[in-house]
Amino acid sequence: MLILAIDTSCDETSVAITEGRKIISNSIYSQAVIHSSWGGVVPHLAKRAHEERIDWVISETLKKLKIKKIDYIAVTYGPGLAPALEVGVNKAKELAQKYGKKIIPINHMEGHIYSCFAQNSKGNPQRDFDFPYIAFLISGGHTQLVLFTAHLTYQIIGETVDDAAGESLDKAAKMLGLGYPGGAVIERLAQKGDPHYHQFPRPLAWSKDLNFSFSGLKTSLFYHLKTISESEKKNHLKDLASSFQEAVCESLLIKLKNAIQSTGVNRILVGGGVGQNVYLRKKIRSVVKKAHGQVFFPPLPYLYGDNAGMIGVAGYFKAREGIFVDDRENFDRVPRLTL
Ligand code: ZN
């Protein structure tokens, strides 16, 4: 079963061809350069960039193959930026009509969950499914703990009540004058800093639920920066980055531990861009090891961020169950779609 998959949920235009769990080809056109001078993603610029690029990205993806025949078209219809999602959904509808194909509707977050089971074009790694799992989805737009009990069966057991983890790292980077996107810069500086230089709060650490909050953390950095001189800030940039990263990581880990304890599920899937943070991954491994569990990360670096490959993989499991868009005319993006 060959699937043409499209994801335009945020600032990446991505198109993939997948066959089962195998990603045959995946192209990503990142708009990071366009948005960096604005310090964040600008919706109407994202829409225009997606529109300008999508046909090119599709033809690039198809060019790499001696393509046989596409069976279905999978597309992300939410959650994400409305104007951005619209471009992918409209393109899927256009292609579906032109070639008489069915559309598989995909929730971007289920794509991130299935990213841990994606394979390269040779079918590696072979990882089998062994339900249940807790999927820990950590990105610039989302922070969620999801109980994944069977294919396509999800229950959100915890999520952020305000900012996403990646968003808080980006905002901290901006306050520290490190530019956008800032997560990777914070991580690099933090490697040489003291994580205990300043004790930032761990919001909601003691609450019994599995929810996260990161906006207080950002505020705390804002006020802390007001109490120190410009030269102290400059001299302790690495320590500030390290202490902030520590607070974000610990907030994430506290809830992961609680989730394992309260559900009894100790097989963990990690998806989303923040999972690329090596320090965080090390910490997650140690938490899961203490719980005698197993942790799985996306097998290839590009699968952490937004990509259409994971959308095609999720699409395969949906198509297998016969889940398609019935009414193509009225199929529309759902920016606040939940699992
Ligand atoms: Zn994403």
Side-chain angles (χ1 to χ4, degrees):
M1 184 198 296
L2 278 175
I3 294 177
L4 172 76
I6 302 173
D7 185 277
T8 60
S9 55
C10 189
D11 61 345
E12 246 113 38
T13 314
S14 184
V15 175
I17 304 290
T18 58
E19 183 171 29
R21 285 161 57 186
K22 284 188 279 194
I23 298 175
I24 312 292
S25 166
N26 184 82
S27 305
I28 300 172
Y29 169 70
S30 168
Q31 305 174 0
V33 185
I34 297 171
H35 302 290
S36 65
S37 59
W38 301 91
V41 178
V42 185
H44 75 273
L45 294 181
K47 179 186 165 83
R48 200 170 68 198
H50 282 307
E51 281 171 344
E52 283 170 0
R53 285 288 167 156
I54 193 154
D55 285 326
W56 177 80
V57 181
I58 290 174
S59 68
E60 276 300 293
T61 313
L62 292 171
K63 214 159 61 184
K64 290 179 200 157
L65 321 161
K66 298 154 217 112
I67 249 310
K68 310 145 201 176
K69 198 169 143 275
I70 299 294
D71 295 296
Y72 301 107
I73 297 164
V75 66
T76 299
Y77 72 113
L81 283 178
L85 287 165
E86 202 175 289
V87 178
V89 167
N90 286 344
K91 186 51 70 181
K93 285 162 83 168
E94 181 194 315
L95 294 173
Q97 171 144 33
K98 191 168 166 192
Y99 298 105
K101 301 296 170 194
K102 286 183 178 165
I103 298 176
I104 315 166
I106 306 291
N107 180 314
H108 181 77
M109 304 315 289
E110 68 188 337
H112 277 303
I113 293 175
Y114 276 97
S115 71
C116 292
F117 297 98
Q119 298 172 330
N120 65 14
S121 58
K122 297 195 172 68
N124 291 314
Q126 286 183 351
R127 255 173 224 183
D128 284 327
F129 287 90
D130 186 10
F131 293 105
Y133 298 96
I134 290 172
F136 199 8
L137 308 177
I138 333 162
S139 70
H142 302 275
T143 309
Q144 281 184 335
L145 284 161
V146 181
L147 201 54
F148 181 37
T149 49
H151 281 300
L152 311 176
T153 311
Y154 321 103
Q155 185 197 346
I156 297 173
I157 53 174
E159 62 188 328
T160 183
V161 297
D162 42 54
D163 293 351
E167 192 181 352
S168 79
L169 288 165
D170 282 343
K171 286 178 178 169
K174 201 173 166 185
M175 276 186 240
L176 294 171
L178 305 172
Y180 172 88
V185 191
I186 296 248
E187 181 183 5
R188 205 178 58 233
L189 285 175
Q191 281 172 355
K192 293 190 179 122
D194 174 8
H196 307 292
Y197 164 71
H198 181 75
Q199 178 75 11
F200 289 108
R202 274 55 168 162
L204 296 187
W206 305 110
S207 76
K208 287 223 161 54
D209 60 36
L210 299 173
N211 290 333
F212 306 87
S213 166
F214 292 102
S215 79
L217 200 53
K218 160 196 77 190
T219 314
S220 166
L221 172 63
F222 177 79
Y223 285 110
H224 179 67
L225 291 178
K226 281 188 179 294
T227 66
I228 60 175
S229 66
E230 203 48 43
S231 69
E232 191 180 348
K233 175 180 159 187
K234 221 170 140 187
N235 292 337
H236 288 283
L237 207 52
K238 289 172 184 156
D239 300 325
L240 285 164
S242 181
S243 299
F244 193 86
Q245 176 181 268
E246 188 69 14
V248 171
C249 289
E250 220 177 88
S251 302
L252 291 169
L253 295 166
I254 290 167
K255 297 300 169 126
L256 176 63
K257 272 185 227 169
N258 291 356
I260 295 173
Q261 234 159 40
S262 63
T263 60
V265 175
N266 63 1
R267 275 189 303 281
I268 311 299
L269 308 174
V270 178
V274 179
Q276 260 183 315
N277 184 303
V278 175
Y279 183 73
L280 176 63
R281 260 187 289 174
K282 202 173 104 191
K283 295 253 177 180
I284 291 177
R285 277 200 190 92
S286 111
V287 164
V288 177
K289 197 176 168 198
K290 276 189 196 129
H292 309 290
Q294 278 176 294
V295 60
F296 303 93
F297 298 96
L300 295 164
Y302 78 84
L303 290 168
Y304 283 90
D306 290 346
N307 67 88
M310 67 186 190
I311 301 303
V313 174
Y316 164 70
F317 290 96
K318 282 203 156 166
R320 225 177 48 164
E321 299 299 319
I323 301 171
F324 302 107
V325 169
D326 290 330
D327 179 3
R328 194 171 63 212
E329 280 296 295
N330 292 311
F331 174 53
D332 202 358
R333 80 266 190 295
V334 182
R336 297 193 169 274
L337 183 69
T338 58
L339 278 170

